[in-house]
Amino acid sequence: MRSDWSQEALPGGTRLWVSPRHSFGADAFFLADFARPRPGDLACDLGAGCGILAALLLERPDPPRRVVALELRGEAVEQMERTVADHHWEGRLIPLQGDLRDRSANGKDLPVGGFDLVVCNPPYFPAGAGEESLSLSRRTARHEGAESCTLAEACAAAARLLRNGGRAAFCHRPQRLCDLLEELRTAGLEPKRLRLVQQRADAAPWLALVEAKREARPPWRWKRRCCWKGRTAAPRRRSGASMGGDDPRNGRRGQAAGTGGPYGQ
């Protein structure tokens, strides 16, 4: 454990190991709520970082049977391993170091065509767009490219891992919603649900949530928009829940969850 590691308390009582290089932001809470895992699901988190999505899925009252958390960076995998040991999640959360672009990966913990649910919070910015950080971990989290993956590669990996009829849940910037829908369909994942997240009813959305199914047909369903009070509030399951943490993509610090109610319908 490095000296700058710390623990963040999640709404369900989990204490997640984070660091300045591998932490989380509000988008993870919205995606975990939107994903709707089913009891018995075998789930995979692509580009898991510190394991925030996997932990939030396991905290649900209807958690998946197991979550495989695939992450490229070794330090983030070590953080997840500490969280697993602290909460005795052996066999339920499987931290796995690897590259989602590796098409040859097919083993006991990462079976091709073996997952019911894949979740992914991919890099939001195309290569060369926006201000690139000098930090490798921040560049990997924020920008597509050789050090991370492209949106097309993330969608292809999800399709490769899902069984027929399996579900993929992605979040992304609304400005790139058309890119996300195009890459999902190209990969053989048919968009089925969409939700936009906005701070106020009269504000532009800042997050798009999309669920797609492997080998499915149109149509899809538009879900009611998600609005909340507070600067960076997220869906909550218990009043007063804290959702701290730094989002490596935007440098925003998580705040206490605001009012709003469940958004996972």
Side-chain angles (χ1 to χ4, degrees):
M1 183 181 70
R2 301 189 186 184
S3 60
D4 61 353
W5 288 17
S6 61
Q7 287 181 296
E8 289 277 2
L10 302 185
T14 299
R15 295 188 63 82
L16 190 77
W17 283 98
V18 299
S19 72
R21 294 161 297 283
H22 304 287
S23 191
F24 59 87
D27 46 5
F29 286 77
F30 286 103
L31 179 56
D33 191 71
F34 178 77
R36 303 190 310 177
R38 299 166 183 164
D41 274 355
L42 179 59
C44 181
D45 179 9
L46 294 177
C50 63
I52 177 63
L53 274 172
L56 291 172
L57 293 179
L58 290 175
E59 278 194 344
R60 293 177 63 103
D62 51 353
R65 171 168 49 97
R66 182 182 302 125
V67 182
V68 176
L70 183 66
E71 168 56 35
L72 185 62
R73 302 299 166 193
E75 182 187 9
V77 174
E78 292 176 18
Q79 291 174 203
M80 287 191 282
E81 290 171 343
R82 284 294 301 269
T83 299
V84 169
D86 287 350
H87 295 280
H88 307 289
W89 277 350
E90 292 84 358
R92 296 188 64 203
L93 172 54
I94 313 296
L96 188 63
Q97 186 171 4
D99 191 331
L100 63 82
R101 298 169 293 187
D102 183 2
R103 300 184 63 88
S104 66
N106 180 17
K108 175 176 67 71
D109 292 327
L110 201 69
V112 171
F115 289 90
D116 305 289
L117 173 67
V118 170
V119 293
C120 185
N121 187 352
Y124 286 163
F125 299 102
E131 183 178 352
E132 292 197 11
S133 172
L134 296 177
S135 163
L136 175 61
S137 61
R138 289 181 180 270
R139 287 201 308 273
T140 302
R142 289 170 58 91
H143 286 87
E144 299 178 7
E147 295 169 331
S148 55
C149 67
T150 65
L151 182 56
E153 289 167 338
C155 292
R160 185 170 68 250
L161 293 172
L162 285 171
R163 62 170 176 80
N164 284 347
R167 308 173 324 278
F170 278 73
C171 65
H172 219 298
R173 291 287 180 89
Q175 295 91 330
R176 298 199 63 196
L177 179 57
C178 290
D179 295 338
L180 176 58
L181 298 178
E182 179 180 8
E183 297 298 353
L184 286 169
R185 273 192 160 172
T186 299
L189 299 171
E190 182 64 28
K192 302 299 288 185
R193 288 195 301 139
L194 167 66
R195 175 173 292 139
L196 298 177
V197 181
Q198 56 201 97
Q199 189 171 359
R200 304 181 311 275
D202 61 346
W206 67 271
L207 188 70
L209 302 163
V210 177
E211 179 189 84
K213 284 189 177 182
R214 187 169 186 263
E215 301 298 332
R217 296 181 179 179
W220 68 336
R221 291 187 295 165
W222 169 269
K223 303 302 292 183
R224 63 184 175 87
R225 68 191 178 195
C226 175
C227 301
W228 79 99
K229 297 178 182 178
R231 287 186 303 152
T232 56
R236 65 176 183 173
R237 302 192 188 283
R238 296 167 177 82
S239 62
S242 173
M243 54 141 294
D246 298 322
D247 185 344
R249 278 179 288 213
N250 55 24
R252 184 175 57 225
R253 179 79 178 173
Q255 303 294 326
T259 59
Y263 302 124
Q265 301 174 359

Short mmCIF file of all heavy atoms in Angstrom, two decimals, residues 141-199:
data_model
loop_
_atom_site.label_atom_id
_atom_site.label_comp_id
_atom_site.label_asym_id
_atom_site.label_seq_id
_atom_site.Cartn_x
_atom_site.Cartn_y
_atom_site.Cartn_z
N ALA A 141 -7.64 7.61 -18.22
CA ALA A 141 -9.05 7.73 -17.84
C ALA A 141 -9.81 8.70 -18.74
O ALA A 141 -11.00 8.50 -19.01
CB ALA A 141 -9.16 8.17 -16.38
N ARG A 142 -9.15 9.75 -19.21
CA ARG A 142 -9.84 10.83 -19.93
C ARG A 142 -9.84 10.67 -21.44
O ARG A 142 -10.83 11.00 -22.10
CB ARG A 142 -9.18 12.18 -19.60
CG ARG A 142 -9.42 12.70 -18.22
CD ARG A 142 -8.53 13.90 -17.92
NE ARG A 142 -8.71 14.98 -18.88
CZ ARG A 142 -9.57 15.99 -18.72
NH1 ARG A 142 -10.32 16.03 -17.65
NH2 ARG A 142 -9.66 16.94 -19.62
N HIS A 143 -8.74 10.19 -22.01
CA HIS A 143 -8.54 10.26 -23.46
C HIS A 143 -8.42 8.88 -24.11
O HIS A 143 -7.73 8.00 -23.59
CB HIS A 143 -7.29 11.07 -23.78
CG HIS A 143 -7.46 12.54 -23.57
ND1 HIS A 143 -7.24 13.15 -22.35
CD2 HIS A 143 -7.83 13.54 -24.42
CE1 HIS A 143 -7.48 14.45 -22.47
NE2 HIS A 143 -7.83 14.71 -23.71
N GLU A 144 -9.09 8.74 -25.23
CA GLU A 144 -8.89 7.56 -26.05
C GLU A 144 -7.48 7.58 -26.63
O GLU A 144 -6.87 8.64 -26.80
CB GLU A 144 -9.90 7.53 -27.20
CG GLU A 144 -11.35 7.48 -26.76
CD GLU A 144 -12.30 7.50 -27.94
OE1 GLU A 144 -11.83 7.41 -29.09
OE2 GLU A 144 -13.52 7.63 -27.72
N GLY A 145 -6.97 6.39 -26.97
CA GLY A 145 -5.65 6.36 -27.60
C GLY A 145 -4.88 5.11 -27.24
O GLY A 145 -5.41 4.16 -26.65
N ALA A 146 -3.60 5.11 -27.58
CA ALA A 146 -2.76 3.94 -27.40
C ALA A 146 -2.59 3.57 -25.94
O ALA A 146 -2.36 2.40 -25.60
CB ALA A 146 -1.39 4.19 -28.03
N GLU A 147 -2.69 4.55 -25.03
CA GLU A 147 -2.50 4.28 -23.61
C GLU A 147 -3.77 3.78 -22.94
O GLU A 147 -3.74 3.35 -21.79
CB GLU A 147 -2.01 5.54 -22.90
CG GLU A 147 -0.63 5.99 -23.36
CD GLU A 147 -0.28 7.37 -22.85
OE1 GLU A 147 -1.24 8.17 -22.66
OE2 GLU A 147 0.91 7.66 -22.64
N SER A 148 -4.90 3.84 -23.64
CA SER A 148 -6.15 3.37 -23.04
C SER A 148 -6.92 2.53 -24.06
O SER A 148 -6.56 1.40 -24.33
CB SER A 148 -6.98 4.57 -22.56
OG SER A 148 -7.20 5.49 -23.62
N CYS A 149 -7.96 3.07 -24.63
CA CYS A 149 -8.72 2.39 -25.68
C CYS A 149 -9.58 3.41 -26.38
O CYS A 149 -9.77 4.53 -25.89
CB CYS A 149 -9.60 1.27 -25.09
SG CYS A 149 -10.95 1.88 -24.04
N THR A 150 -10.10 3.06 -27.54
CA THR A 150 -11.07 3.89 -28.23
C THR A 150 -12.47 3.44 -27.85
O THR A 150 -12.67 2.35 -27.29
CB THR A 150 -10.90 3.80 -29.75
OG1 THR A 150 -11.20 2.46 -30.17
CG2 THR A 150 -9.49 4.16 -30.17
N LEU A 151 -13.45 4.27 -28.16
CA LEU A 151 -14.84 3.90 -27.91
C LEU A 151 -15.21 2.65 -28.69
O LEU A 151 -15.90 1.76 -28.18
CB LEU A 151 -15.76 5.06 -28.27
CG LEU A 151 -17.25 4.87 -28.00
CD1 LEU A 151 -17.51 4.50 -26.55
CD2 LEU A 151 -18.02 6.14 -28.39
N ALA A 152 -14.74 2.55 -29.93
CA ALA A 152 -15.01 1.37 -30.75
C ALA A 152 -14.43 0.11 -30.12
O ALA A 152 -15.07 -0.96 -30.11
CB ALA A 152 -14.44 1.56 -32.15
N GLU A 153 -13.23 0.21 -29.55
CA GLU A 153 -12.61 -0.95 -28.91
C GLU A 153 -13.35 -1.37 -27.65
O GLU A 153 -13.49 -2.57 -27.37
CB GLU A 153 -11.15 -0.64 -28.60
CG GLU A 153 -10.27 -0.56 -29.84
CD GLU A 153 -8.92 0.05 -29.58
OE1 GLU A 153 -8.77 0.80 -28.58
OE2 GLU A 153 -8.00 -0.21 -30.38
N ALA A 154 -13.85 -0.39 -26.89
CA ALA A 154 -14.61 -0.72 -25.69
C ALA A 154 -15.92 -1.42 -26.05
O ALA A 154 -16.31 -2.41 -25.41
CB ALA A 154 -14.89 0.55 -24.89
N CYS A 155 -16.61 -0.94 -27.07
CA CYS A 155 -17.86 -1.58 -27.50
C CYS A 155 -17.60 -2.98 -28.05
O CYS A 155 -18.37 -3.92 -27.77
CB CYS A 155 -18.55 -0.72 -28.55
SG CYS A 155 -19.18 0.86 -27.92
N ALA A 156 -16.53 -3.14 -28.81
CA ALA A 156 -16.19 -4.46 -29.35
C ALA A 156 -15.87 -5.44 -28.24
O ALA A 156 -16.24 -6.62 -28.30
CB ALA A 156 -15.02 -4.34 -30.32
N ALA A 157 -15.17 -4.98 -27.21
CA ALA A 157 -14.85 -5.86 -26.08
C ALA A 157 -16.11 -6.29 -25.34
O ALA A 157 -16.25 -7.46 -24.95
CB ALA A 157 -13.90 -5.14 -25.12
N ALA A 158 -17.04 -5.36 -25.15
CA ALA A 158 -18.29 -5.70 -24.49
C ALA A 158 -19.05 -6.76 -25.29
O ALA A 158 -19.56 -7.74 -24.74
CB ALA A 158 -19.15 -4.45 -24.30
N ALA A 159 -19.13 -6.57 -26.59
CA ALA A 159 -19.83 -7.53 -27.45
C ALA A 159 -19.17 -8.90 -27.41
O ALA A 159 -19.84 -9.94 -27.41
CB ALA A 159 -19.89 -7.01 -28.88
N ARG A 160 -17.84 -8.92 -27.37
CA ARG A 160 -17.10 -10.17 -27.36
C ARG A 160 -17.35 -10.97 -26.07
O ARG A 160 -17.42 -12.19 -26.09
CB ARG A 160 -15.61 -9.88 -27.51
CG ARG A 160 -14.73 -11.09 -27.62
CD ARG A 160 -13.31 -10.71 -28.02
NE ARG A 160 -12.61 -9.97 -26.98
CZ ARG A 160 -12.29 -8.68 -27.04
NH1 ARG A 160 -12.62 -7.97 -28.09
NH2 ARG A 160 -11.65 -8.09 -26.05
N LEU A 161 -17.53 -10.26 -24.97
CA LEU A 161 -17.68 -10.94 -23.67
C LEU A 161 -19.12 -11.33 -23.36
O LEU A 161 -19.35 -12.24 -22.55
CB LEU A 161 -17.15 -10.02 -22.57
CG LEU A 161 -15.64 -9.76 -22.59
CD1 LEU A 161 -15.27 -8.70 -21.56
CD2 LEU A 161 -14.86 -11.05 -22.32
N LEU A 162 -20.09 -10.68 -23.99
CA LEU A 162 -21.49 -10.94 -23.68
C LEU A 162 -22.02 -12.19 -24.37
O LEU A 162 -21.67 -12.48 -25.51
CB LEU A 162 -22.36 -9.75 -24.08
CG LEU A 162 -22.30 -8.51 -23.19
CD1 LEU A 162 -23.03 -7.35 -23.85
CD2 LEU A 162 -22.89 -8.81 -21.81
N ARG A 163 -22.90 -12.90 -23.68
CA ARG A 163 -23.66 -13.97 -24.31
C ARG A 163 -24.73 -13.34 -25.20
O ARG A 163 -25.03 -12.13 -25.09
CB ARG A 163 -24.33 -14.84 -23.25
CG ARG A 163 -25.33 -14.08 -22.38
CD ARG A 163 -26.14 -15.00 -21.51
NE ARG A 163 -27.02 -14.26 -20.61
CZ ARG A 163 -28.20 -13.73 -20.95
NH1 ARG A 163 -28.64 -13.86 -22.21
NH2 ARG A 163 -28.94 -13.07 -20.08
N ASN A 164 -25.34 -14.11 -26.07
CA ASN A 164 -26.47 -13.61 -26.86
C ASN A 164 -27.59 -13.18 -25.92
O ASN A 164 -27.99 -13.95 -25.04
CB ASN A 164 -26.98 -14.68 -27.83
CG ASN A 164 -26.06 -14.84 -29.02
OD1 ASN A 164 -25.18 -14.02 -29.26
ND2 ASN A 164 -26.25 -15.91 -29.78
N GLY A 165 -28.08 -11.97 -26.10
CA GLY A 165 -29.10 -11.43 -25.22
C GLY A 165 -28.55 -10.74 -24.00
O GLY A 165 -29.31 -10.14 -23.23
N GLY A 166 -27.22 -10.80 -23.80
CA GLY A 166 -26.61 -10.11 -22.69
C GLY A 166 -26.66 -8.60 -22.86
O GLY A 166 -26.82 -8.09 -23.97
N ARG A 167 -26.50 -7.87 -21.77
CA ARG A 167 -26.70 -6.43 -21.75
C ARG A 167 -25.39 -5.70 -21.48
O ARG A 167 -24.60 -6.12 -20.62
CB ARG A 167 -27.73 -6.04 -20.67
CG ARG A 167 -29.00 -6.84 -20.78
CD ARG A 167 -29.98 -6.62 -19.67
NE ARG A 167 -29.45 -6.43 -18.34
CZ ARG A 167 -29.06 -7.41 -17.52
NH1 ARG A 167 -29.09 -8.67 -17.92
NH2 ARG A 167 -28.64 -7.14 -16.30
N ALA A 168 -25.19 -4.59 -22.18
CA ALA A 168 -24.05 -3.71 -21.94
C ALA A 168 -24.60 -2.35 -21.51
O ALA A 168 -25.52 -1.83 -22.15
CB ALA A 168 -23.20 -3.55 -23.19
N ALA A 169 -24.03 -1.77 -20.45
CA ALA A 169 -24.44 -0.45 -19.97
C ALA A 169 -23.23 0.48 -20.02
O ALA A 169 -22.20 0.19 -19.41
CB ALA A 169 -25.00 -0.54 -18.56
N PHE A 170 -23.38 1.57 -20.75
CA PHE A 170 -22.30 2.55 -20.93
C PHE A 170 -22.78 3.92 -20.45
O PHE A 170 -23.97 4.24 -20.53
CB PHE A 170 -21.93 2.70 -22.41
CG PHE A 170 -21.00 1.64 -22.94
CD1 PHE A 170 -21.44 0.34 -23.16
CD2 PHE A 170 -19.67 1.95 -23.24
CE1 PHE A 170 -20.59 -0.63 -23.66
CE2 PHE A 170 -18.81 0.99 -23.76
CZ PHE A 170 -19.26 -0.30 -23.96
N CYS A 171 -21.83 4.73 -20.00
CA CYS A 171 -22.11 6.15 -19.81
C CYS A 171 -21.13 6.95 -20.66
O CYS A 171 -20.03 6.48 -20.97
CB CYS A 171 -21.99 6.56 -18.33
SG CYS A 171 -20.35 6.42 -17.62
N HIS A 172 -21.56 8.15 -21.06
CA HIS A 172 -20.69 8.97 -21.90
C HIS A 172 -21.20 10.40 -21.89
O HIS A 172 -22.30 10.68 -21.37
CB HIS A 172 -20.64 8.45 -23.34
CG HIS A 172 -19.28 8.54 -23.96
ND1 HIS A 172 -18.63 9.74 -24.16
CD2 HIS A 172 -18.43 7.58 -24.41
CE1 HIS A 172 -17.45 9.51 -24.70
NE2 HIS A 172 -17.29 8.21 -24.86
N ARG A 173 -20.42 11.29 -22.46
CA ARG A 173 -20.85 12.67 -22.62
C ARG A 173 -21.97 12.74 -23.67
O ARG A 173 -21.87 12.10 -24.72
CB ARG A 173 -19.68 13.54 -23.07
CG ARG A 173 -18.59 13.71 -22.01
CD ARG A 173 -19.06 14.64 -20.90
NE ARG A 173 -18.04 14.82 -19.88
CZ ARG A 173 -17.10 15.78 -19.92
NH1 ARG A 173 -17.03 16.61 -20.94
NH2 ARG A 173 -16.25 15.90 -18.93
N PRO A 174 -23.03 13.52 -23.42
CA PRO A 174 -24.10 13.64 -24.41
C PRO A 174 -23.60 14.12 -25.77
O PRO A 174 -24.17 13.77 -26.80
CB PRO A 174 -25.05 14.67 -23.77
CG PRO A 174 -24.80 14.54 -22.31
CD PRO A 174 -23.34 14.25 -22.18
N GLN A 175 -22.53 14.92 -25.78
CA GLN A 175 -21.99 15.41 -27.05
C GLN A 175 -21.49 14.27 -27.93
O GLN A 175 -21.35 14.44 -29.14
CB GLN A 175 -20.84 16.39 -26.78
CG GLN A 175 -21.27 17.67 -26.07
CD GLN A 175 -21.16 17.53 -24.56
OE1 GLN A 175 -21.30 16.45 -24.02
NE2 GLN A 175 -20.90 18.65 -23.89
N ARG A 176 -21.24 13.11 -27.35
CA ARG A 176 -20.75 11.97 -28.12
C ARG A 176 -21.77 10.83 -28.16
O ARG A 176 -21.41 9.68 -28.43
CB ARG A 176 -19.42 11.49 -27.55
CG ARG A 176 -18.31 12.53 -27.64
CD ARG A 176 -16.95 11.90 -27.51
NE ARG A 176 -16.68 10.97 -28.60
CZ ARG A 176 -15.71 10.06 -28.58
NH1 ARG A 176 -14.94 9.93 -27.51
NH2 ARG A 176 -15.51 9.26 -29.61
N LEU A 177 -23.02 11.16 -27.91
CA LEU A 177 -24.05 10.12 -27.90
C LEU A 177 -24.16 9.44 -29.26
O LEU A 177 -24.30 8.21 -29.34
CB LEU A 177 -25.39 10.73 -27.49
CG LEU A 177 -26.58 9.78 -27.46
CD1 LEU A 177 -26.33 8.60 -26.52
CD2 LEU A 177 -27.85 10.53 -27.05
N CYS A 178 -24.12 10.21 -30.34
CA CYS A 178 -24.21 9.60 -31.67
C CYS A 178 -23.04 8.65 -31.92
O CYS A 178 -23.21 7.57 -32.51
CB CYS A 178 -24.23 10.69 -32.74
SG CYS A 178 -25.77 11.65 -32.78
N ASP A 179 -21.83 9.04 -31.48
CA ASP A 179 -20.67 8.15 -31.62
C ASP A 179 -20.90 6.84 -30.86
O ASP A 179 -20.61 5.75 -31.37
CB ASP A 179 -19.41 8.82 -31.07
CG ASP A 179 -19.01 10.05 -31.86
OD1 ASP A 179 -19.41 10.16 -33.03
OD2 ASP A 179 -18.29 10.90 -31.30
N LEU A 180 -21.42 6.95 -29.64
CA LEU A 180 -21.65 5.76 -28.82
C LEU A 180 -22.67 4.84 -29.48
O LEU A 180 -22.45 3.62 -29.58
CB LEU A 180 -22.12 6.17 -27.42
CG LEU A 180 -22.50 5.03 -26.48
CD1 LEU A 180 -21.35 4.06 -26.28
CD2 LEU A 180 -22.96 5.60 -25.13
N LEU A 181 -23.78 5.39 -29.94
CA LEU A 181 -24.81 4.56 -30.56
C LEU A 181 -24.28 3.88 -31.83
O LEU A 181 -24.56 2.70 -32.08
CB LEU A 181 -26.04 5.41 -30.90
CG LEU A 181 -26.75 6.07 -29.71
CD1 LEU A 181 -27.92 6.91 -30.20
CD2 LEU A 181 -27.21 5.04 -28.70
N GLU A 182 -23.52 4.62 -32.61
CA GLU A 182 -22.95 4.05 -33.84
C GLU A 182 -22.00 2.90 -33.53
O GLU A 182 -22.06 1.84 -34.17
CB GLU A 182 -22.24 5.14 -34.63
CG GLU A 182 -21.61 4.62 -35.93
CD GLU A 182 -20.89 5.71 -36.70
OE1 GLU A 182 -20.76 6.83 -36.18
OE2 GLU A 182 -20.46 5.43 -37.83
N GLU A 183 -21.12 3.09 -32.54
CA GLU A 183 -20.14 2.05 -32.22
C GLU A 183 -20.80 0.83 -31.59
O GLU A 183 -20.38 -0.31 -31.82
CB GLU A 183 -19.06 2.61 -31.30
CG GLU A 183 -18.23 3.73 -31.89
CD GLU A 183 -17.44 3.32 -33.13
OE1 GLU A 183 -17.41 2.12 -33.48
OE2 GLU A 183 -16.84 4.22 -33.77
N LEU A 184 -21.84 1.04 -30.80
CA LEU A 184 -22.56 -0.09 -30.24
C LEU A 184 -23.18 -0.95 -31.34
O LEU A 184 -23.04 -2.18 -31.35
CB LEU A 184 -23.65 0.40 -29.28
CG LEU A 184 -23.18 0.94 -27.92
CD1 LEU A 184 -24.32 1.63 -27.19
CD2 LEU A 184 -22.60 -0.18 -27.05
N ARG A 185 -23.85 -0.32 -32.27
CA ARG A 185 -24.47 -1.08 -33.36
C ARG A 185 -23.43 -1.76 -34.24
O ARG A 185 -23.63 -2.90 -34.67
CB ARG A 185 -25.36 -0.16 -34.20
CG ARG A 185 -26.76 -0.03 -33.67
CD ARG A 185 -27.68 0.64 -34.66
NE ARG A 185 -29.07 0.34 -34.36
CZ ARG A 185 -30.10 0.90 -34.96
NH1 ARG A 185 -29.88 1.82 -35.91
NH2 ARG A 185 -31.33 0.57 -34.65
N THR A 186 -22.34 -1.09 -34.50
CA THR A 186 -21.26 -1.68 -35.29
C THR A 186 -20.73 -2.94 -34.62
O THR A 186 -20.38 -3.92 -35.29
CB THR A 186 -20.12 -0.67 -35.50
OG1 THR A 186 -20.62 0.46 -36.22
CG2 THR A 186 -18.97 -1.29 -36.28
N ALA A 187 -20.70 -2.94 -33.31
CA ALA A 187 -20.20 -4.09 -32.55
C ALA A 187 -21.24 -5.20 -32.39
O ALA A 187 -20.93 -6.26 -31.82
CB ALA A 187 -19.72 -3.64 -31.18
N GLY A 188 -22.46 -4.97 -32.86
CA GLY A 188 -23.51 -5.98 -32.71
C GLY A 188 -24.31 -5.84 -31.44
O GLY A 188 -24.96 -6.79 -31.00
N LEU A 189 -24.29 -4.64 -30.85
CA LEU A 189 -25.03 -4.36 -29.63
C LEU A 189 -26.13 -3.36 -29.96
O LEU A 189 -25.84 -2.22 -30.34
CB LEU A 189 -24.11 -3.79 -28.55
CG LEU A 189 -22.97 -4.71 -28.10
CD1 LEU A 189 -22.00 -3.95 -27.19
CD2 LEU A 189 -23.51 -5.93 -27.39
N GLU A 190 -27.39 -3.77 -29.84
CA GLU A 190 -28.51 -2.93 -30.21
C GLU A 190 -28.94 -2.06 -29.03
O GLU A 190 -29.31 -2.57 -27.96
CB GLU A 190 -29.69 -3.78 -30.66
CG GLU A 190 -30.91 -2.98 -31.11
CD GLU A 190 -30.63 -2.12 -32.36
OE1 GLU A 190 -29.76 -2.51 -33.16
OE2 GLU A 190 -31.30 -1.08 -32.51
N PRO A 191 -28.89 -0.72 -29.16
CA PRO A 191 -29.34 0.15 -28.07
C PRO A 191 -30.81 -0.10 -27.73
O PRO A 191 -31.67 -0.19 -28.62
CB PRO A 191 -29.15 1.56 -28.64
CG PRO A 191 -28.09 1.40 -29.69
CD PRO A 191 -28.34 0.05 -30.29
N LYS A 192 -31.08 -0.23 -26.42
CA LYS A 192 -32.44 -0.54 -25.96
C LYS A 192 -33.00 0.48 -24.97
O LYS A 192 -34.20 0.66 -24.89
CB LYS A 192 -32.47 -1.92 -25.31
CG LYS A 192 -32.01 -3.05 -26.20
CD LYS A 192 -32.88 -3.20 -27.44
CE LYS A 192 -34.24 -3.77 -27.11
NZ LYS A 192 -35.04 -4.02 -28.34
N ARG A 193 -32.14 1.11 -24.17
CA ARG A 193 -32.60 2.11 -23.20
C ARG A 193 -31.64 3.31 -23.22
O ARG A 193 -30.45 3.14 -23.36
CB ARG A 193 -32.63 1.55 -21.77
CG ARG A 193 -33.73 0.55 -21.47
CD ARG A 193 -33.88 0.36 -19.96
NE ARG A 193 -32.64 -0.12 -19.35
CZ ARG A 193 -32.16 0.32 -18.18
NH1 ARG A 193 -32.79 1.27 -17.52
NH2 ARG A 193 -31.03 -0.17 -17.69
N LEU A 194 -32.22 4.49 -23.02
CA LEU A 194 -31.43 5.73 -22.95
C LEU A 194 -31.95 6.58 -21.81
O LEU A 194 -33.16 6.74 -21.64
CB LEU A 194 -31.53 6.50 -24.26
CG LEU A 194 -31.02 7.95 -24.25
CD1 LEU A 194 -29.51 7.99 -24.03
CD2 LEU A 194 -31.40 8.66 -25.55
N ARG A 195 -31.04 7.13 -21.04
CA ARG A 195 -31.41 8.13 -20.03
C ARG A 195 -30.38 9.25 -20.07
O ARG A 195 -29.18 8.99 -20.16
CB ARG A 195 -31.47 7.53 -18.63
CG ARG A 195 -31.73 8.57 -17.55
CD ARG A 195 -31.96 7.95 -16.19
NE ARG A 195 -33.21 7.23 -16.19
CZ ARG A 195 -33.39 6.05 -15.60
NH1 ARG A 195 -32.37 5.45 -15.02
NH2 ARG A 195 -34.56 5.45 -15.63
N LEU A 196 -30.85 10.49 -19.99
CA LEU A 196 -29.99 11.66 -19.91
C LEU A 196 -30.04 12.21 -18.48
O LEU A 196 -31.11 12.28 -17.87
CB LEU A 196 -30.43 12.73 -20.90
CG LEU A 196 -30.36 12.33 -22.38
CD1 LEU A 196 -30.89 13.46 -23.26
CD2 LEU A 196 -28.95 11.95 -22.80
N VAL A 197 -28.90 12.61 -17.98
CA VAL A 197 -28.78 13.13 -16.62
C VAL A 197 -28.48 14.61 -16.69
O VAL A 197 -27.57 15.04 -17.40
CB VAL A 197 -27.66 12.40 -15.85
CG1 VAL A 197 -27.55 12.93 -14.42
CG2 VAL A 197 -27.89 10.90 -15.84
N GLN A 198 -29.26 15.41 -15.95
CA GLN A 198 -29.07 16.84 -15.94
C GLN A 198 -29.22 17.36 -14.52
O GLN A 198 -29.88 16.73 -13.68
CB GLN A 198 -30.07 17.52 -16.87
CG GLN A 198 -31.52 17.20 -16.58
CD GLN A 198 -32.42 17.44 -17.77
OE1 GLN A 198 -32.73 16.52 -18.50
NE2 GLN A 198 -32.85 18.68 -17.95
N GLN A 199 -28.60 18.49 -14.25
CA GLN A 199 -28.61 19.02 -12.89
C GLN A 199 -29.96 19.65 -12.54
O GLN A 199 -30.39 19.56 -11.39
CB GLN A 199 -27.50 20.05 -12.72
CG GLN A 199 -27.30 20.49 -11.28
CD GLN A 199 -26.07 21.33 -11.10
OE1 GLN A 199 -25.34 21.58 -12.05
NE2 GLN A 199 -25.81 21.77 -9.88
#
